[in-house]
Amino acid sequence: MLAGCSDFLDKTSSDYSSSGFYQSEAAIKSGAEGVYNYLYMELGYAIPFNISLDHYTGMAFERNENTTVGAGGGLNPDNNEVKTFWNKLYIVIARANSVIYGSKEYIDGLGDNARQYLAEVKVLRAFAYYNLIATYGDVPFFTDPVTIEQYKETRVSREDILDFILTDLEESASALPWIATSRGRVDKAVAYGLKARAALLGGSLNYRGQGTDYFRISAEAAGKVIGQRSLAQSFDDLFNITGQAKADVRNEMLWELMYSDQGIKKTHVVAFGQVSRNTGQTGRHPSMLLADTYECIDGKRIDESSLYDPRYPQKNRDPRFHSTLWMHGDTATVNNGNLVRQIINAYDIEAQFYDFSSNAWYLANNADINSSAAWASFCNAGVGYIWAKFSNETAENISAQSCNIPIMRYAEVLLTYAEAKIELNELDNTVYDAINQVRNRVAMPDVSADRIGNQDKMRQLVRRERKVEFALEGLHHVDMRRWGIGDLENGQPTYGLPLPEIGYEGLTSTDIPNFKTSERTDLNDIPNYDAYKSKLKVRDRNRFWNKKFELWPVPQLERDRNPNLSQNEGY
Amino acid sequence: MVMLNYFSIRSQKKYGRVRYCFFRYIILICLCAFVLPVQATTGKSQVITLNISQGNITDIFKEIEKQSDYHFFYNDEQIDTDKQVKINVFSSSIEDVLKQLFKGTNITYKVVDRSYIVLTNKYFKNISPNPGQKGKRITGRVVDPTDSPLIGVNVVVEGTTSGTITDQNGQYSLENVPDNANLLFSYVGYLPRTIKTGNETLLNVILEEDTKRLDEVVVVGYGTQKRINLTGAVQNITSQDLIKRNVGNTSTALQGLIPGVSVVQSSGRPGADGGNITIRGTGSLNSSTSPLILIDGVEGDINNVDMNAIESVSILKDAASASIYGSRASNGVVLVTTKRARGEGVKVSYNGYVGLNTPTSMPDPVNAIEYMDAVNVARANADMDPQYSEDILNIYRTQGADNINYYDTDWRKAVIKNTALVHNHSVSLSGGSKMFHVFANGGYFYQDGQISNNTYSRMTLRLNTDARLTKWLKVGLDVNIRQSKATNPCLDSPESIINKALTFTPVFSGVNNDGSWGFGQNGDNPIAVSKVAGVATGVTPELGIKGFVLLQPFKGFEALASYSSRKVEYKSDSFINPYDTYENGVFKTTYPANGNSKYEGWSQTITNQFNAQASYETNILRNYLKILAGMQTEELTNRGFSASRKGFEFEGFEELNHGDISTASNAGTRNEWAMMSYFARVNYAFADRYLLELNGRWDASSRFMKGHRWGFFPSFSVGWRISEESFFLPAKKWVDNLKIRASYGTLGNQDIILGGNPVYFPYAASIASGYGYWFDKKEGTGVAQTQVANEKISWEKSTQFNAGIDAALLNSRLSVNFDYYIRNINNMLQQFPIPMYVGLSSPWENAGSMRNNGWDLSVSWRDRIGNVGYHITGNLSDVKNEVTNLYGNEYIDTQIIREGLPLRSWYGYVSDGYFQTQEEIDASPVYGGNKENVKPGYIRYKDISGPDGKPDGEINDYDRTVIGNPYARYEFSLNLGAEWKGFDFTVFLQGVGKRDILYTEAGARPFYVGRTIFKNQLDYWTPENRNAEFPLLLIDGSGNNPNNIVSDFWIKSGAYLRMKNMVVGYTLPKKILSKLHIDNLRIYASAQNLFTICSAYKGYDPENSVDRGSFYPVMQTFTFGVDIRF
């Protein structure tokens, strides 16, 4: 009698059942899209994850003093960002594994498209694992959905994981086109670019004591991409919605986090969260360390160039300075619903604004100095600099921004190639050409003659290029650790603009930071402000670096749940 | 099925017994536990057919009472009840029957009020035992507390056989009463009273109704039972107990009324301020902890029933009582029975009140100057420059805020209302004839919220009809219609708006001096959000229909079938209307920046339930046996869709059609669920004193895979009415009733709920859509599996042992109930926390067990001093929880789930005051290990352990321990009531003896991520104020400073005592009302939550769930109402 009633109890829902789901191309396509979907992971509110990452280094910081992850105090196993990044990267992996595993028995019977989608999924999984090993070192590693028995798994060495993803990326590349037909999908260029990026990590950190091998893998992978794509003509075009619509930008953008102003829209608030208080709010700030890394237009560092004037730091600088940073005296135009053009002012209660109807400038209240939120402005909570990258947006409201956020650009492949070759000490013309392409695009001079053939000087240059080219794009989070310069970047308080009673005009021509406190600081472009620090604003007085910060800790919550997970040294 | 309950109440005195017999028909009209107690007046014929060849006269009385609405009243000293008679009448009137019955006897009869038959012996009136002794004549009137005459009250002179009964006006007259004699007044259903005559010759007496009557019938699963025969832990509440509380919903009204039933009202939000009911502790880890709530046998929301339409609420606490509901009853059962019409004629009543709500308590934020001073102090404490210069502070001090250049916004005042209106109206109509009865109730409830655009209203209509078609067939149809409507600001939840109103800094701009909106926090301005940014409206129409057929073909047998369908819809509608913000005279932003948008959603849940049951009962000699068996199916279908658009160009045109079609978006879902059940019960009683009950239920749920679906849930219970034993006779003088009982049973749980939503397919690894990506800037349809599957899950089971004692003492004036129980929950359905690296949410598992053991005590006293009747009821209960088995797993977070600990204990560091000096810091371990980060005035933590189980000189994970229990212990209540000459007065105190509340984030800490500081938080540590309530003031940018980790420092006692309810009422005298043709008129005033004694943080109500600072305050309510019956 009871069994007869079972039909009554067989109920259905609007969700698909997982068993046997991934047996068609359409299903694998949808599943792959579900993996892409989690690239929208955020470490801060409505901020793409890679935008947050540079703020955990000496290049930038968040609003509150001494609490940014990179600034020391916050980097502990209970830290929320530490937990969130771990958690979210593993969700990408789980979704990928679910598709890969679910389609295993069907994929051979399916066509090229299905295989391409599956290859894309593997690239996304490799991307997540790359971020995990680069950030946390050894981590739990799975290529199939995690079983209950694996809830007590131990960590797998970062070297083994790296080797796996290098192989996986090579295999995946074969199933992918050089340029994806849909913007936002990963393609062969991304697979090789990521392989180059990942191998560079193994090279720099000398995995297995075989750093050279990894540099070679990196150079080879990057080399395959070189020539397949090209740089955009304008650097500025890369970071706003109008520029991103251009074909040359599409060509440089190997991989973007996609946003949209179409239909119901997919937006972020990157610019709104970093501009002047007159046009938005300021929660994230570039550091003076970054600002002072930009060369003068003669290709020389500010302490070495005669073109540098401390009273007008923005003059005669690498054009990328202007594309990336705004400071006191700069004219900034931002769309915050209205088009607002202002002259950024770090000192006066009124600032100059532009009236577009009468084409005239007028004075109005300066919220960076005189408002309830002025304490959080670029000159109070920050150190005098505003991110112009992604903020230089006039075509749409920065509170609902739809420009894409680059995850990988062709410029990175060029510089990764150069760095790998430099570390291999194979200083041939392909190296200079790669660097020159990046520099020439912004009208910076070629690699100077004194660097040719000098590995140290080339290493200095390629690191400097990566810092200034990719500021705010999230690469420095790993670069700083690869280069082992966390102690240099974070070993002193955060200095900034001249104090109000001094002002820029109060600086003298000798108030130039000292990059040469040591050979390491010189080669890594780390300025020291001790000589005139009394004239400068200072924050993060407790900023410090500990060797253990080379890796983030395994989240405490994860170790609570699986006590078999060991912790990184020092935590 | 008809249950015949014969009972006789004897006066405890030697002489002057009153024999009273009374039949009550209990008619089960619903198979699914909906039972209707019907007075003997209901549906009875007024014509009598008797054919008795040999029987004593009381048998004939019984038969007449059974067939008709008549009741006999007589003094058995006057009537020879053993007299053998024979009678044969067919379809005769009562007059004819009585005439025939008493022909040639000394008995005279009088029919009063069409239903009371008062018998007297014309030669036996008022005989004194000592005829020689002269006494005086005493007359008077006996009434109930509402001044209604009581007919047939037995009045005797104590120690004599002299006595009489009252007439239809309640009047009596006794001759030859000695001076200083004691007159005993007794009446069935009322507490007896003894009154010394003194010199009085006129003695008017009020008798108190006996609410704990032994003959009381309570609703139990799929039936009813006499209270005295109960063997499980069942308690019930009548309509009056609820209505008296004057609160908007029934769950809150239940608070404190029954020991072991915990009701916590954690929010005061209109329409969402219902109490969270748990019975005997938290019964599950991850599945439902709420009791099964059945309204006339159909699952429903207790808060959507008009209290005036409720006849009674029964709470089945132990497994034996609840197990007839098997799988659904793991957390106890609440049976709500609505009223049905009885008798003939029409009765109409109105009950309504109007009142004002005001928050019980609220934090008090500082003003701008206090804020800026405090910020500068906090920054100085972290070696940071002042944020507000002396110049700015001086401007504020000398010129004040102009709210254009300098702001001082009182967000709390601008957003939160001091008082808000609440009113409730309920009209009931009850009427019928012999064949047909109808009860109708219409209700309207309206509550205004504490912020703008926040209201709740509810209309209810209930129609309960019964038709007796033949002697053996009865049918009925019940209709229940409800429509609730809630409005909220659509941009933000009321809780969040209130949170912001309390914590936004006063230097943010709220309203500019030119009336434009301020910029608030980056455009988020809670004043504008609540007032102009758009309203979300949720309308919930509900329609419930139930039909039943009741067959009573022969004596003792009854069969019932019923079918019900309940449709609940939810229609939501919101339009976001951005506002422009200005600050310092400059346009800042339009908020929200995405522009206007419209959202409409619709969902529908249809639940169909079919029941069939049959029962048979019989008495064989002194054995009573009843057997019940039945089956039930239930199926639920849930569907929903939603649509939205943006870009509405023309003001006032806000239908979806008017929006930008390219922004159109829509979604839809469907879910199903079904259950099938069989149940059976056997009741056996021997000699009314040895009681046994067996229950069994087989349940299958679609929530489990085939092969794991069926569960069997048996139980048994026994009782022994010691007071009925002959050896107990000497104690009867003090103890009217004494019963001990015990029960044991198993219950199931499959009601998996996650984040407040039911999970219908917990076993399935489903792949859901809605995870798209924006390739080429166009959203696609991505899918993802988000949860680990486990196809083996099955029933969560709980077993419960219960032992109890019920006693009524001292003429039933004192009654005591005590229960002890042990509740073991096994095979817990839970989502065990799994490593984050799994990347999916946890699978459901049947794993682990926990135990609740506790006790419930209820003591009540009811008596009368002169004209003042009074009653006191005290409830006290405790439940202790322990997680007994988790298979070695544990879950550690702010709350810990670990074997041997109470569920979800607070887990963190142990504080040890503040570091007072740098030397103390140098000599102590600090959290995080970096002493640079710690200063005097920081919280000091205890180093209690290390890797070797010993203090290791570091404050780290090893030093975390259990620091509190979030669940209430020792819940108590005290209900005091008194009546005097139409006035009634009730005071209801309620509280919790022990509980720990953890306050976190903005709920506890000043300057939490850019928020403000409350006045009480200005008591912070300084070298001059070393015993401050709060540590050294710091800007808490990201919540990462060492003071803010979870520690017992932030735990406060949640114990409280509160004046939950106070009511003063006055019932107008009958004399006045009868002229107006009004049966009853009572006016009343009441106060809810009048005061509270507790030690939570200032500004927070201990019942409120404050946690991170987002909450809706609990309300203090003052109401004035009227209750009128025609």
Side-chain angles (χ1 to χ4, degrees), chain A residues 10 18 183 277 372 541 558, chain B residues 383 507 588 765 776 836:
Chain A
D10 288 334
S18 68
R183 191 164 181 175
R277 277 278 156 190
S372 61
R541 286 185 175 86
E558 192 74 325
Chain B
D383 298 327
V507 295
K588 296 294 288 185
D776 293 324
M836 289 183 279

Side-chain angles (χ1 to χ4, degrees), chain B residues 20 55 81 89-90 238 354 459 496 499 501 507 545 584 673 703 756 788 793 833 888 914 962 984 1045:
Chain B
Y20 170 78
T81 51
V89 291
F90 180 77
T238 61
V354 58
M459 284 183 287
S496 176
N499 178 23
V507 295
I545 295 176
N584 311 121
W673 169 75
R703 277 199 169 91
V788 181
I793 54 166
Y914 304 114
V962 171
D984 60 272
I1045 55 170

Side-chain angles (χ1 to χ4, degrees), chain A residues 173-297:
Chain A
S174 65
L176 294 168
W178 270 112
I179 185 154
T181 45
S182 288
R183 191 164 181 175
R185 287 194 184 280
V186 296
D187 49 28
K188 201 190 291 277
V190 174
Y192 283 126
L194 186 58
K195 189 180 176 191
R197 188 194 281 189
L200 198 60
L201 175 77
S204 300
L205 298 177
N206 198 20
Y207 277 12
R208 300 188 198 284
Q210 296 166 352
T212 313
D213 296 347
Y214 288 108
F215 282 127
R216 179 145 288 117
I217 295 170
S218 180
E220 279 172 15
K224 286 182 185 166
V225 185
I226 291 174
Q228 297 291 340
R229 304 287 275 268
S230 61
L231 293 178
Q233 287 170 12
S234 156
F235 184 72
D236 285 337
D237 278 351
L238 292 160
F239 310 111
N240 61 55
I241 181 176
T242 317
Q244 286 181 353
K246 299 178 181 171
D248 59 327
V249 170
R250 166 72 184 101
N251 202 24
E252 173 171 350
M253 291 286 204
L254 267 51
W255 188 10
E256 298 152 284
L257 195 55
M258 298 298 294
Y259 290 87
S260 173
D261 58 353
Q262 298 172 23
I264 59 169
K265 296 184 181 176
K266 174 74 182 172
T267 62
H268 57 79
V269 292
V270 169
F272 183 79
Q274 62 188 23
V275 293
S276 160
R277 277 278 156 190
N278 291 304
T279 46
Q281 63 155 298
T282 1
R284 295 178 306 279
H285 304 272
S287 68
M288 195 152 76
L289 168 71
L290 171 65
D292 288 349
T293 307
Y294 288 88
E295 296 171 352
C296 290
I297 45 169

